[in-house]
Amino acid sequence: MTSTAPIGVFDSGLGGISVVRQLVHDMPHERVLYFGDSAHAPYGVKTPEQVRELSLRIVKRFVEQGVKAVVIACNTATSAAVNELRDLYDFPIIGMEPALKVACDRGHGVRQRVIVAATPLTLREHKFAALMDRFKEDHTIFPEPCPDLVEIVESGQLDNHDLVMHTLHQYFDQYDLSSIDSVVLGCTHFVFYREYFRELLPDTAAIIDGNEGTVRHLGVVLESLGKLAPEDAAGSVELANSDPSERIATLSRELLER
Ligand code: DGL
């Protein structure tokens, strides 16, 4: 695959568009093919086998389109499918996981109290258990499944302030938020809620997502293979979705430009 080949980016639906925004910002010369699987969203309440099957189907489509790398812009699909995808393909497959390390490192040795907001499946899978094992002795970690936050984005209700705040309160009122050092947004859909989380949380709590780190990692991997797009290349983004409705196409464009 040449350096001018596109990068395939996928998610269960519209959440991965938050990763595409970061990619376009940091790597403006790349061609991005985005695939959102909104017809099958949410992934976070499915079985790992179902999510693996759906992810394999999407990556097969990217292979037919001649991608040079794939970004799984979905923590849930990464937990369920990254190993199998890496066994199957020899181009780089970049996955995502909740940015718990970033949250814990902020303490510089001081114990941190961290909420990890993610989907039920991400928090149930071995990959997250392994991540927790690395940090749980030195830090206090609260995994919080928030499936409704996926549905609100998919149904185009992200601007419904009352609905969003009500939903956030349902998940987070159980915590003494003034004692929390950071909240990790461990689902790419949740990145669109950053301002709402800011409204919910005291200023002392940081809000952390993995998008920047994921794109940086993609850049390092492509550079090491000599496959970064040339600097005179015009970057582009093509948005595709398994839900062919005009509503989803419009929503996807809006989220990209948000
Ligand atoms: N955006 C996804 C993630 O990062 C999954 C959302 C879902 O479909 O449940 O985990």
Side-chain angles (χ1 to χ4, degrees), residues 11-12 42-44 74-76 119 150 187-189:
D11 176 44
S12 64
Y43 279 8
C74 178
N75 297 260
T76 311
T119 69
V150 177
C187 168
T188 50
H189 283 75

Side-chain angles (χ1 to χ4, degrees), residues 175-197:
Y175 298 100
D176 169 12
L177 293 175
S178 65
S179 75
I180 295 295
D181 295 297
S182 54
V183 174
V184 173
L185 306 179
C187 168
T188 50
H189 283 75
F190 301 174
V191 178
F192 292 119
Y193 291 90
R194 197 169 253 282
E195 283 170 26
Y196 290 117
F197 273 96

Side-chain angles (χ1 to χ4, degrees), residues 62-134:
F62 282 147
V63 171
E64 284 157 15
Q65 292 173 301
V67 297
K68 62 182 176 186
V70 164
V71 178
I72 310 177
C74 178
N75 297 260
T76 311
T78 301
S79 323
V82 71
N83 292 340
E84 186 153 353
L85 287 169
R86 286 186 179 143
D87 285 347
L88 281 171
Y89 299 108
D90 58 5
F91 50 77
I93 310 252
I94 310 295
M96 293 189 77
E97 65 178 12
L100 186 56
K101 181 178 186 314
V102 178
C104 294
D105 285 354
R106 280 184 75 247
H108 300 291
V110 175
R111 187 173 196 90
Q112 296 290 287
R113 291 169 63 81
V114 182
I115 298 175
V116 181
T119 69
L121 181 55
T122 297
L123 298 176
R124 259 200 333 265
E125 274 298 281
H126 311 296
K127 202 170 189 306
F128 185 70
L131 187 64
M132 278 279 281
D133 283 346
R134 284 169 55 200

